[in-house]
Amino acid sequence: MELPIAPVGRIIKNAGAPRISKGAKEALTRILEDQGLEIATDAVSLAKHSGRKTVMKRDVDSAVNDIYHTYHFHD
């Protein structure tokens, strides 16, 4: 895993959980890493398509929007 588990546990705690199992923290960490990699891959593609090596905030925002649209509005 690339992301540290403790901050992910704090995210769950901030959502209102008084206690969190190690398995729950690990599961959310894997999901966040998978989603983050998908977003980053799309953002890199957008930057390359625009002729840039640098990934910009707008690339990440567009990637999130594209992925959200795909997951929530597909036929």
Side-chain angles (χ1 to χ4, degrees):
M1 284 190 230
E2 296 289 326
L3 293 175
I5 293 176
V8 175
R10 286 193 295 275
I11 290 170
I12 299 170
K13 192 168 190 93
N14 289 340
R19 295 179 57 183
I20 308 121
S21 72
K22 182 179 178 184
K25 292 180 222 176
E26 290 171 348
L28 183 56
T29 299
R30 279 191 301 277
I31 291 165
L32 293 173
E33 286 180 348
D34 290 346
Q35 291 294 303
L37 181 59
E38 186 176 352
I39 291 165
T41 300
D42 196 22
V44 169
S45 293
L46 290 166
K48 285 181 181 178
H49 182 73
S50 296
R52 291 181 279 106
K53 291 182 182 180
T54 303
V55 175
M56 310 291 280
K57 179 185 180 301
R58 66 179 178 252
D59 300 319
V60 175
D61 290 343
S62 292
V64 169
N65 195 28
D66 291 348
I67 290 167
Y68 177 82
H69 184 75
T70 299
Y71 286 136
H72 294 282
F73 301 107
H74 65 282
D75 294 322

